[in-house]
Amino acid sequence: MMASEIDGFRFEQKHGKSRVRVGRVWRSGDGTDSFAEWSLDISLFSDCLAAYVNGDNSDIVATDTMKNTVYVKAKECAEALSMEEFAIELGSHFTSFYKQVTAATIKIMEKPWERLYVDGQPHKHGFKLGSERHTTEITVKKTGAVSMTSGIEGLALLKTTKSGFEGFIRDKYTALPETRERMLATEVSASWRYSFAHLSSIGKPLHFNDSYQNVKKVLVSTFFGSPEGGVYSPSVQYTLYDMARAVLSRFSEIESIQLRMPNIHFLPVNIRSKDNPSIVEFKDDVYLPTDEPHGTIEASLSRSRSRM
């Protein structure tokens, strides 16, 4: 935030526009359309102290202007681009076009529209809604300094075996039995910070959509292991660390990664009565799906040189 000293107080401020929604269609010469739907949050850090203390709005960029700028810039992007590229374009515009603006933070969430396939063939203008969502947050300063994070939300993963939980603290409050055989389900939220420190260091061409897909593939493949044998998970904590380490090992341009993985429980079903001790006897086959309460496991992994 922009900080100032006023009457012996420290005052910080920023202003912006939230939940600006835009859909963009790009049409190619062969009739194949590309489509993206984004929801944007814009925050400007600017020298407009007079608006707060004197009622002088002459240095304020109106939030309605920010909204309109999104649509103008979307129109100007003649070719399909990643939302990271669009965020860089917006941030660069706000910091260069307005002398009062020293930095701009652009957050974008992409709705997961995916190309539709009919009889195994990609439809030229048909799309269906997927599940997990692509996110980004980019701050651009007037100097050209930049910080970039991308991420994924709502990546639901489940495996029916190759998971256990043993050797944890047991005391008078512990009822959970130890096991080497259980379901493992989670909904991954991940955010990773790129190492780029300046707009000039990003270079061309940009491949952020490919990077997003590749990071997702590494997260998924590490969680599940090989198609035939899989990989054993002694805890969600162990699997989370393994996934984070795999991403940093694979992608040198990623400085750090943060993962949040709730442990979504599938409880063994054992139904008994006084007269019948095994109406339903659990044999790793019948479960009660639950989504609350659930365990919450969260951690971040950074390279030693990381700014995170």
Side-chain angles (χ1 to χ4, degrees), residues 266-280:
F266 283 73
L267 305 179
V269 171
N270 277 299
I271 301 177
R272 298 181 176 90
S273 71
K274 181 179 178 181
D275 299 324
N276 188 345
S278 59
I279 298 173
V280 171

Side-chain angles (χ1 to χ4, degrees), residues 23 135 164 187 243:
T135 64
E187 189 171 285
M243 293 163 69

Side-chain angles (χ1 to χ4, degrees), residues 2-13 48-54:
M2 292 290 294
S4 306
E5 293 290 334
I6 306 174
D7 299 329
F9 299 101
R10 179 179 173 84
F11 178 64
E12 296 183 344
Q13 56 82 21
C48 59
L49 183 62
Y52 292 90
V53 298
N54 299 325

Side-chain angles (χ1 to χ4, degrees), residues 50-66:
Y52 292 90
V53 298
N54 299 325
D56 178 358
N57 298 330
S58 58
D59 287 327
I60 286 184
V61 179
T63 65
D64 188 68
T65 301
M66 299 180 205

